[in-house]
Amino acid sequence: MGYSEEQIAQFQEEYAKVSQGLQDLMLKTIVAGQESEHAGVKEHLLHGAARRLSTLKRCLENIFVNFPPTTVKPLQRDVLYDVQINLHAYVMNLYGIFDNWAWSFILRHDLLQKVGGKHGVGLFRESTTKHLAKPIHDYLVSDTITNWHEKYLKSYRDALAHRIPLYIPPAEFTKEESERYGQLEGEKINLIKGMEWQRLDELYKEQENIGRPSFVFLHSYEEEPPKPVLFHPQLLCDGLAIVEFGTLFVEHWGEAA
């Protein structure tokens, strides 16, 4: 099912907001890193957080160019693979940037021993959060952010890193379309065995024009049915969360409880 005109207009507005927000936050992060005299803090802000922010921004741009919400036909295979590659980079950097922020805070305030060493460093670990300034602490322990991190970000990052990579179904079909797609799929083996490459290409092209694009992504079935996530709104929500928290962090990371 495609998006409504109202949804598409909203996505475009939020996309511009997220893209600009990531750019502004990257510049603030660079300034904070340059102003620090601690080598470790510099590394985590300049080569960690700032680099991840620029990667997040570019991934979002690539995705919206190659797979705009206005798409009406299934993506070609190579385009779909490129979109998935950008999705993978997006999710990994979403997850990783919180570690860069955590380390920059811990190192700035010389708290490594107090949190129990490197394994106690983490913005979602109580050993670290108890030292954060109240605005940062309250944001991180809110139900909204806790649920987002535990039920979505950590789950999908762990699947990507350790189990089944995130993927976007190539298309959505009606019953008739599904049957025709399967019929063509069954013909491919004989064409490959007979080395009938021209006919094989024709089958691939016909398949690419069957159905509608799928606007969800998911990872594995594991022990329960998969939980598809709406693609564009989720990525925009993720980006807004990073901009919102990152701005709060840069404003208050000089304070410690």
Side-chain angles (χ1 to χ4, degrees):
M1 182 184 297
Y3 303 119
S4 68
E5 292 184 4
E6 291 78 12
Q7 287 175 316
I8 292 172
Q10 181 183 1
F11 295 159
Q12 294 297 345
E13 181 179 342
E14 291 181 350
Y15 167 71
K17 181 179 178 181
V18 172
S19 183
Q20 187 61 55
L22 290 170
Q23 176 71 17
D24 293 344
L25 181 56
M26 180 184 66
L27 295 176
K28 291 177 182 178
T29 301
I30 290 173
V31 170
Q34 294 287 11
E35 289 179 344
S36 176
E37 297 181 358
H38 192 294
V41 172
K42 278 183 177 292
E43 182 175 29
H44 278 284
L45 290 182
L46 298 178
H47 303 299
R51 191 178 296 171
R52 291 186 191 278
L53 288 166
S54 63
T55 299
L56 289 170
K57 181 175 182 293
R58 187 58 179 165
C59 286
L60 201 61
E61 291 170 350
N62 289 339
I63 287 169
F64 269 73
V65 166
N66 287 297
F67 190 15
T70 53
T71 302
V72 294
K73 289 187 177 182
L75 299 180
Q76 294 183 351
R77 282 174 296 159
D78 289 346
V79 176
L80 181 63
Y81 294 154
D82 286 342
V83 172
Q84 289 180 156
I85 289 167
N86 280 274
L87 172 62
H88 294 175
Y90 194 77
V91 170
M92 290 301 290
N93 282 284
L94 280 174
Y95 188 88
I97 196 169
F98 285 98
D99 285 334
N100 292 129
W101 282 326
W103 274 101
S104 63
F105 175 82
I106 292 298
L107 293 175
R108 174 170 183 167
H109 296 282
D110 194 22
L111 295 170
L112 189 57
Q113 295 305 314
K114 289 185 178 180
V115 300
K118 64 181 182 180
H119 297 296
V121 178
L123 290 183
F124 295 94
R125 295 178 182 272
E126 199 274 335
S127 53
T128 292
T129 57
K130 67 182 181 182
H131 296 288
L132 297 170
K134 190 174 188 303
I136 303 176
H137 173 275
D138 291 350
Y139 186 96
L140 289 171
V141 301
S142 67
D143 290 341
T144 300
I145 294 301
T146 298
N147 289 333
W148 174 73
H149 178 262
E150 288 298 322
K151 297 181 180 179
Y152 164 70
L153 184 57
K154 187 176 186 301
S155 171
Y156 278 70
R157 176 268 176 191
D158 287 353
L160 174 58
H162 305 296
R163 300 191 301 278
I164 305 301
L166 314 182
Y167 68 97
I168 304 166
E172 293 180 357
F173 306 122
T174 63
K175 182 176 182 294
E176 292 75 16
E177 289 169 338
S178 178
E179 290 174 353
R180 178 55 180 165
Y181 193 95
Q183 179 185 353
L184 294 172
E185 194 70 19
E187 292 179 22
K188 288 181 182 178
I189 298 299
N190 289 332
L191 293 176
I192 292 172
K193 289 179 179 178
M195 294 186 288
E196 298 181 48
W197 310 126
Q198 182 175 347
R199 176 57 182 155
L200 184 63
D201 285 340
E202 292 173 358
L203 259 63
Y204 273 118
K205 289 178 182 177
E206 182 177 347
Q207 283 183 315
E208 288 174 353
N209 286 290
I210 297 176
R212 288 145 303 286
S214 177
F215 291 103
V216 302
F217 69 95
L218 57 160
H219 53 85
S220 68
Y221 288 81
E222 297 182 342
E223 296 180 356
E224 58 185 42
K227 299 176 181 177
V229 176
L230 275 175
F231 188 63
H232 296 89
Q234 183 63 57
L235 268 58
L236 291 170
C237 178
D238 297 339
L240 285 170
I242 291 298
V243 171
E244 186 175 67
F245 174 75
T247 302
L248 184 70
F249 180 82
V250 170
E251 182 179 351
H252 294 283
W253 79 298
E255 310 162 25

